[in-house]
Amino acid sequence: MSETWIVGINPVEGALANDPQRVRELLVEQGSHNPRVAELLEQARALKIPVHARPRDQLDRVAGAARHQGVAARYETPPPRGDAELPALAERAGAGALFLVLDGVTDPHNLGACLRSAAAANVTAVVVPKDRAVGLTPVVRRASAGGADQVPLVAATNLARALRTLKDAGVWLVGLAGDTEQSLYALDLKGPLALVLGGEGEGMRRLTREACDFVARIPMPGAMESLNVSVATGVALFEALRQRGAAS
């Protein structure tokens, strides 16, 4: 059994709302007068989850680099999802399947922001490589504002193979890159789809790009040549939703 600490009001709120059976205990800062922390305390007690008041320095140690806002939850992490689950995920989602593939995002704030956008867009699953990418750290969970508990995260041992699995399941792969003339807005993004984005700096790796059915760019009339990966993720996901008539 693997455990981690979820820290911060929104991440803890998400865990209690979406996966309370895995929350083992709640720590709240002694003397806290934050009404949202008090709400979480009452919610945990109603769920029969042990609650303990602790000095601030103890929460600081638990949180590490993340900001805890006076609350932390000890959480039993579920076993990671693997490539083998992709066909079933695609089949359950049917024509509305929408995957997000992130090739090597290493910044926890970026991954958290991508998960937040993915949850808002009701993405079928987010696929990341098992290695050379950041995992579900406390900082990622905090940055996701609860999104990490709402969307399945698949850690692929071999990303190129995972992309082939998606293609075999009838999912079209659209990669995003700045060095192509094809506009994302000119593509048909309806039907089973995976949007594929590269990590910070290098973008998609060669094998990842070669696996894509189409490679497109987000048109930018301004002076900037590229967008942060989390911003590009939001733009691409909600363009797909707009085309599907599901963004209202």
Side-chain angles (χ1 to χ4, degrees):
M1 180 180 69
S2 177
E3 292 184 337
T4 189
W5 285 97
I6 297 175
V7 300
I9 290 172
N10 285 336
V12 171
E13 186 176 57
L16 290 175
N18 300 298
D19 210 4
Q21 68 275 11
R22 291 188 176 275
V23 178
R24 294 292 174 252
E25 66 175 322
L26 201 71
L27 303 185
V28 297
E29 184 180 347
Q30 286 176 346
S32 173
H33 299 293
N34 188 321
R36 291 190 64 194
V37 172
E39 289 176 11
L40 294 176
L41 184 152
E42 293 304 318
Q43 187 178 353
R45 284 176 172 163
L47 292 165
K48 304 278 194 294
I49 296 169
V51 177
H52 307 287
R54 293 290 185 264
R56 182 177 184 83
D57 63 346
Q58 185 168 335
L59 273 78
D60 290 343
R61 287 195 297 273
V62 162
R67 219 160 54 90
H68 57 71
Q69 299 175 291
V71 64
R74 183 164 58 88
Y75 178 78
E76 180 188 341
T77 54
R81 294 172 179 261
D83 318 26
E85 294 192 46
L86 290 172
L89 287 166
E91 183 178 2
R92 281 199 296 272
L98 179 58
F99 291 86
L100 174 63
V101 181
L102 300 171
D103 183 12
V105 172
T106 57
D107 184 287
H109 293 95
N110 277 338
L111 179 57
C114 289
L115 288 170
R116 182 173 186 169
S117 293
N122 197 27
V123 160
T124 306
V126 176
V127 183
V128 298
K130 188 174 181 181
D131 301 316
R132 296 180 60 184
V134 66
L136 274 182
T137 66
V139 176
V140 170
R141 286 188 173 277
R142 176 167 173 75
S144 79
D149 300 304
Q150 298 176 42
V151 60
L153 183 68
V154 174
T157 304
N158 183 307
L159 190 61
R161 184 175 62 206
L163 293 175
R164 289 195 298 271
T165 299
L166 285 173
K167 292 178 80 166
D168 291 343
V171 177
W172 288 88
L173 307 182
V174 174
L176 265 68
D179 59 350
T180 181
E181 292 303 313
Q182 176 70 66
S183 169
L184 177 71
Y185 304 139
L187 290 178
D188 183 352
L189 303 178
K190 299 184 289 292
L193 174 73
L195 292 166
V196 186
L197 290 89
E200 305 88 353
E202 297 180 3
M204 288 185 291
R205 288 175 290 176
R206 180 181 60 83
L207 290 178
T208 302
R209 181 166 179 152
E210 290 176 354
C212 294
D213 298 296
F214 301 97
V215 178
R217 64 183 177 89
I218 297 172
M220 285 178 285
M224 298 301 294
E225 295 182 357
S226 64
L227 295 173
N228 174 281
V229 62
S230 64
V231 175
T233 290
V235 171
L237 287 176
F238 283 90
E239 171 60 15
L241 289 190
R242 184 194 67 80
Q243 291 191 19
R244 297 163 184 231
S248 58

